[in-house]
Amino acid sequence: MSLFRALKKTCSLIKKSLFSRKTTEAVRMEPTKINMSRVALVNGGIDGAMLKAHKPRVMSKSGHSNVRIDKVDGIYLLYLQDLWTTVIDMKWRYKLTLFAATFVMTWFLFGVIYYAIAFLHGDLEMNKFSPKREPCVKNVDSLTGAFLFSLESQTTIGYGFRFITEECPHAIFLLVAQLVITTLIEIFITGTFLAKIARPKKRAETIKFSHCAVITKHNGELCLVIRVANMRKSLLIQCQLSGKLLQTYETKEGERILLNQASVKFNVDSSSESPFLILPLTFYHILDESSPLRDLTPQNLKEKDFELVVLLNATVESTSAVCQSRTSYVPEEIHWGYEFVPVVSLSPNGKYVADFSQFEKIRRSTDSTFYSVDSEKQKLEEKYRQEDQRERELRTMLLQQSNV
């Protein structure tokens, strides 16, 4: 029995060693399977910031706002006052339900009124007591008949079995009112349908932003770079890309602004001209002294708490409608020392080809200065920057005291 127990213990130890070896090999091989467009890599490793909990975003990656409007007095009244926009912004399922319910309700409402007129006029008992008396509406002797007459009148079907007579002027007035009111309702609903279909919202969804942004050098300048592409063959003209940096800011008076907005300017090849978006374009923001991102360094990038909202305004060439596409980037989606892989190439038959399989891919920058940076120099620069900031604040305080 002791020999059997010893053999069993030896087998279990061998299994544990094999399992630990496989786990170690899997961990070693895992970085080679990482998608460069999804995970921030710094110096060849996975940044610890990716392990942090996801922070709330003002703007989602798809461009939808995450801000909830709450506790507004009379918000439904405000929506009713702007009924046109309210109906256009409805989801299609609610809009189709409203469309069908409007017709059924008007048919039934005017049918009830026709039935009431027939009841008050005595048309329902006419066949029993005075068959020679002329009714207001021929062949309407029940609520179902009144509903069918209302439906046939509003839709101008005109079967000829039920029709209005000259006996009741108020019934004629009701028929005219029904046609006028329901025509206006149909015009309103049809207009909202056309306006919703013609909106360039779906066209904006065919504009694609890169999932991540990179910080690299372009024409000797340190730049924040993003990539934008048009997924349709139809052109987008007069493209303007702008950005808003959202971050917590504290004023000199001690007021804490949760979402302070700072403008971030983007250029195409260091030019502010409006390009036409026919091929994937790369937009650059220069990180100079005037940039709100001038304090970024490889060390503090992932520790920053901000959100960069990017907005692209363009004109659709086919409809001349202005569309806007949006996205946002957080520090975990900005990679320092990387650059985008080229996507545009020239085919053998002389045509330009945009390979979107390379659109999200990034690679290490060819500039060796990103990898041979002296850490002591960076620490000194950060120290001098902090001292300069303190001196500015001290000067401002002294100036305020002198003015007092």
Side-chain angles (χ1 to χ4, degrees), residues 325-363:
S325 187
R326 302 172 293 270
T327 190
S328 69
Y329 298 94
V330 293
E332 288 78 11
E333 297 168 347
I334 301 176
H335 307 324
W336 188 288
Y338 286 83
E339 63 184 8
F340 287 107
V341 176
V343 296
V344 180
S345 60
L346 191 63
S347 64
N349 56 359
K351 290 185 178 181
Y352 288 98
V353 179
D355 184 7
F356 280 93
S357 64
Q358 306 291 325
F359 185 80
E360 298 285 358
K361 293 184 178 180
I362 59 175
R363 65 188 181 189

Side-chain angles (χ1 to χ4, degrees), residues 272-295:
S272 60
E273 297 180 358
S274 301
F276 61 93
L277 198 59
I278 187 173
L279 290 172
L281 292 179
T282 304
F283 288 84
Y284 304 90
H285 168 69
I286 302 176
L287 301 177
D288 54 10
E289 290 298 324
S290 61
S291 171
L293 297 170
R294 58 184 175 272
D295 295 333

Side-chain angles (χ1 to χ4, degrees), residues 50 111 114 118 133 135 138 140 144 147 171 235 243 252 267 271 276 298 302 331 383:
M50 293 299 295
Y114 284 122
R133 187 180 177 184
K138 280 282 189 180
V140 173
T144 304
F147 175 79
L235 291 180
K252 297 176 181 178
N267 299 323
S271 173
F276 61 93
K302 305 305 178 183
K383 181 180 178 181

Side-chain angles (χ1 to χ4, degrees), residues 116-163:
I117 292 175
F119 176 78
L120 295 174
H121 191 257
D123 297 343
L124 302 180
E125 304 294 334
M126 187 176 297
N127 295 330
K128 297 179 180 180
F129 300 102
S130 56
K132 295 182 180 180
R133 187 180 177 184
E134 191 75 14
C136 291
V137 183
K138 280 282 189 180
N139 300 315
V140 173
D141 51 4
S142 64
L143 182 59
T144 304
F147 175 79
L148 291 174
F149 173 73
S150 175
L151 185 153
E152 294 168 13
S153 300
Q154 185 171 328
T155 56
T156 65
I157 293 176
Y159 289 122
F161 181 71
R162 298 177 182 87
F163 57 91

Side-chain angles (χ1 to χ4, degrees), residues 178-290:
Q178 179 186 6
L179 296 179
V180 172
I181 293 173
T182 55
T183 300
L184 293 176
I185 293 175
E186 290 175 12
I187 291 173
F188 178 83
I189 295 179
T190 305
T192 56
F193 263 90
L194 293 176
K196 189 175 181 65
I197 293 172
R199 283 196 309 176
K201 181 179 179 180
K202 294 298 181 182
R203 181 65 179 91
E205 292 179 359
T206 58
I207 300 173
K208 185 176 182 180
F209 290 90
S210 58
H211 185 272
C212 64
V214 297
I215 295 179
T216 186
K217 283 192 175 181
H218 177 70
N219 290 337
E221 299 283 351
L222 191 63
C223 300
L224 173 71
V225 184
I226 64 173
R227 178 178 278 173
V228 184
N230 177 20
M231 307 302 292
R232 284 183 177 270
K233 288 186 177 180
S234 58
L235 291 180
L236 289 172
I237 57 179
Q238 297 181 356
C239 300
Q240 295 286 348
L241 189 78
S242 59
K244 290 292 182 181
L245 183 67
L246 308 179
Q247 60 182 348
T248 304
Y249 174 74
E250 187 171 350
T251 63
K252 297 176 181 178
E253 293 77 17
E255 181 184 2
R256 188 170 179 267
I257 302 175
L258 186 60
L259 292 175
N260 182 59
Q261 298 187 19
S263 297
V264 179
K265 296 181 180 180
F266 282 90
N267 299 323
V268 179
D269 295 329
S270 301
S271 173
S272 60
E273 297 180 358
S274 301
F276 61 93
L277 198 59
I278 187 173
L279 290 172
L281 292 179
T282 304
F283 288 84
Y284 304 90
H285 168 69
I286 302 176
L287 301 177
D288 54 10
E289 290 298 324
S290 61

